[in-house]
Amino acid sequence: AAPAAEAKAEAPAGLTVNAPLVGTFYSSPSPDAAPFVSVGDTVKKGQTVCILEAMKMMSEVPSPADGVVEEILVRDGELVGYDQPLFRLREV
């Protein structure tokens, strides 16, 4: 029972933006551009919050709801798994 409880404790609370595919996380459209979002930013449902690269194809990741970015859970250039939480949002 302890390992299951630990796994639950690691999951971020609240609304998350999850990776729709396996790929490399990028916070901005290019290395010299500003990030799509930062902690504290207000986002609208459907707004692009990051991009994921898989097999040289870039896929925009939209926000699932209106909210405020509470936490960015991955680093730029990090490989992420399917359905992995990328951001934690507070709904507004």
Side-chain angles (χ1 to χ4, degrees), residues 24-45:
T24 303
F25 172 87
Y26 293 107
S27 61
S28 61
S30 67
D32 57 343
F36 288 105
V37 296
S38 298
V39 172
D41 287 354
T42 300
V43 295
K44 296 288 184 189
K45 182 177 181 176

Side-chain angles (χ1 to χ4, degrees), residues 14-15 64-68 70 89-92:
L15 177 66
D66 293 351
V68 175
E70 292 277 303
L89 303 178
R90 177 176 36 89
E91 286 190 87
V92 292

Side-chain angles (χ1 to χ4, degrees), residues 73-85:
L73 303 169
V74 293
R75 292 183 311 265
D76 202 44
E78 184 176 333
L79 181 63
V80 297
Y82 174 74
D83 208 30
Q84 178 178 339

Side-chain angles (χ1 to χ4, degrees), residues 12 16-18 71-75 78 84-88:
T16 58
V17 179
N18 295 345
E71 186 177 8
I72 300 171
L73 303 169
V74 293
R75 292 183 311 265
E78 184 176 333
Q84 178 178 339
L86 306 173
F87 299 89
R88 188 170 51 83

